[in-house]
Amino acid sequence: MKTQTKQCLDAISHLSEGACPDREMLRCILQGRNTETAAFAAELAAQTRDRVYGRRIFVRGLIEFTNFCRNDCLYCGLRRSNKNASRYRLTEEEILSCCELGHRIGFRTFVLQGGEDAYFTDKRLCALVRAIKAKCPDCAVTLSVGERSAESYAALRAAGADRYLLRHETADASHYALLHPAEMSLSHRMDCLRELKRLGFQTGAGMMVGSPGQTEESLLDDLEFLLELRPEMVGIGPFLPHHDTPFRDKPAGSVELTLYLLSIVRLMLPEVLLPATTALGTASAGGRTAGVLAGANVVMPNLSPPGVREKYLLYDNKACTGLEAAEHLSELRAEMKKIGFAVSMDRGDHACCGK
Ligand code: 5AD
């Protein structure tokens, strides 16, 4: 066996035994990736997930409630410079009926995701959170609405929001600058994440894999940042090009590397809630299943009104039907059953929540 493979297998074993990895150990793991080490990482990650959460997959009803965005991220189809995007914003009534429908289907977590849309002031967003909580008191509300002030996050938390997703996208400041307009910064992003944690949100960070300019050092920065922040959730998906962005001709990120990173993150943060993302499911036909086999334990079916789903186009061909659609939960159940998992309709809080 090649020394590199052997060292990588040893490092993966140590990680699964709870060793806190330093950068060299993480580098050894990244550099040693091959089919053998990836299978080993996936097996240990799956064992870890099973030990913490059992063979259960949590589902979240994803409501993409506005695609207006003040930001101009170079990778994203919702960027403000994309004049071809057909913009929409759901009304409070529409959002509430998505939740009602989702609740009837059995969802107990709603993820409200949107661009950074100035229409959704703290007053409006807090009222929305309160209305959802009043209608569905047994549900968790997750927000994914980007960077806001500390006061705004505090108000949303006080209104009853339980969780917040804000991917850091890349923890390498120079890479961050390649992906984002000058007015955005990694340090502000990180401040937001730390504030969310401080306020008691179950907080989600995460990165795209294979976004233009990403290097091995960027991924090491990502892994070190995740170790330091210890987010309750980590969203990892491959970069996929969108035809109306400056990155239209850039190659998509690797599915295999994404799966490997899911396994590594599961081993680094055993209790993490780890979604098999829509981007992973879009990039490869069996992507979501492969994600679960690599250590993921969450899927987020689309609960947005069918008429707007194709307008929330972060990247080309974004999946929103079949296994991705909330109304097809039985297909998802069957798919998960095939690989030995049960879809759980519990709120699916982080294992350390309340402890
Ligand atoms: N490819 C993959 N993921 C993307 N996102 C945005 N644009 C793309 C893209 N082109 C991801 C970002 C964002 C999340 C909502 O979607 O990571 O945080």
Side-chain angles (χ1 to χ4, degrees):
M1 192 191 291
K2 273 180 59 187
T3 330
Q4 195 179 38
T5 298
K6 168 104 185 42
Q7 285 172 345
C8 176
L9 292 172
D10 284 347
I12 292 169
S13 291
H14 286 138
L15 198 55
S16 83
E17 287 155 7
C20 184
D22 60 12
R23 199 171 175 95
E24 281 320 303
M25 179 168 162
L26 293 171
R27 185 177 281 116
C28 169
I29 293 176
L30 285 191
Q31 290 183 348
R33 181 172 66 92
N34 58 32
T35 24
E36 185 184 352
T37 57
F40 185 61
E43 188 187 315
L44 293 182
Q47 282 173 16
T48 301
R49 183 256 338 268
D50 293 357
R51 174 168 51 78
V52 180
Y53 288 103
R55 289 183 76 81
R56 287 184 301 166
I57 301 301
F58 298 117
V59 288
R60 322 297 196 195
L62 178 64
I63 304 169
E64 297 162 331
F65 68 101
T66 171
N67 72 354
F68 283 90
C69 191
R70 70 184 165 96
N71 282 335
D72 214 23
C73 309
L74 278 82
Y75 47 85
C76 183
L78 307 188
R79 68 200 304 267
R80 65 165 187 265
S81 320
N82 179 9
K83 302 296 179 229
N84 295 328
S86 155
R87 305 284 170 175
Y88 72 91
R89 178 182 291 132
L90 301 183
T91 63
E92 179 169 319
E93 292 68 44
E94 287 172 317
I95 299 168
L96 286 172
S97 39
C98 288
C99 295
E100 262 175 279
L101 169 68
H103 196 260
R104 254 182 281 132
I105 300 176
F107 286 92
R108 291 296 177 269
T109 292
F110 300 112
V111 179
L112 268 61
Q113 184 169 94
E116 293 192 15
D117 178 355
Y119 174 86
F120 286 99
T121 56
D122 292 348
K123 200 166 160 223
R124 289 193 172 113
L125 215 44
C126 287
L128 180 61
V129 171
R130 275 192 225 99
I132 296 173
K133 283 288 189 171
K135 239 189 203 349
C136 314
D138 55 345
C139 291
V141 172
T142 305
L143 296 174
S144 177
V145 289
E147 295 182 14
R148 301 174 77 96
S149 66
E151 296 71 43
S152 173
Y153 289 150
L156 292 167
R157 181 85 184 107
D162 304 276
R163 309 181 189 141
Y164 203 104
L165 306 178
L166 180 70
R167 288 195 185 170
H168 63 279
E169 313 298 357
T170 172
D172 168 345
S174 57
H175 183 217
Y176 193 94
L178 285 179
L179 302 181
H180 298 98
E183 66 271 18
M184 292 178 75
S185 74
L186 178 61
S187 63
H188 189 252
R189 193 74 160 190
M190 290 179 165
D191 288 347
C192 287
L193 280 162
R194 293 193 182 100
E195 185 60 20
L196 289 163
K197 283 271 289 190
R198 202 186 63 77
L199 288 165
F201 280 101
Q202 292 175 54
T203 302
M207 63 279 191
M208 286 177 291
V209 176
S211 57
Q214 186 174 62
T215 62
E216 191 172 275
E217 296 305 310
S218 325
L219 285 173
L220 291 171
D221 289 343
D222 288 325
L223 295 175
E224 286 191 329
F225 175 62
L226 293 174
L227 271 175
E228 179 218 310
L229 181 71
R230 308 199 75 77
E232 282 75 20
M233 303 163 295
V234 177
I236 305 176
F239 160 76
L240 297 168
H242 182 290
H243 62 280
D244 280 320
T245 64
F247 291 164
R248 62 178 67 83
D249 297 321
K250 302 291 182 191
S254 151
V255 169
E256 289 70 31
L257 179 54
T258 304
L259 295 171
Y260 193 59
L261 288 164
L262 285 173
S263 301
I264 303 310
V265 169
R266 165 65 64 203
L267 293 174
M268 284 186 347
L269 304 170
E271 292 92 7
V272 75
L273 291 159
L274 198 60
T277 55
T278 304
L280 188 58
T282 301
S284 135
R288 285 221 307 204
T289 311
V292 169
L293 293 174
N297 68 332
V298 173
V299 292
M300 296 165 60
N302 197 315
L303 195 55
S304 310
V308 303
R309 282 186 199 174
E310 59 275 21
K311 295 185 182 163
Y312 201 84
L313 201 63
L314 303 169
Y315 42 80
D316 290 341
N317 309 311
K318 180 167 156 276
C320 60
T321 57
L323 287 186
E324 296 290 341
E327 59 278 20
H328 296 160
L329 209 51
S330 54
E331 288 174 36
L332 179 67
R333 277 215 173 83
E335 194 68 24
M336 291 299 127
K337 197 167 167 217
K338 265 196 237 162
I339 53 169
F341 289 84
V343 168
S344 164
M345 300 314 278
D346 293 353
R347 268 173 57 122
D349 285 296
H350 185 264
C352 301
C353 180
K355 278 188 200 157

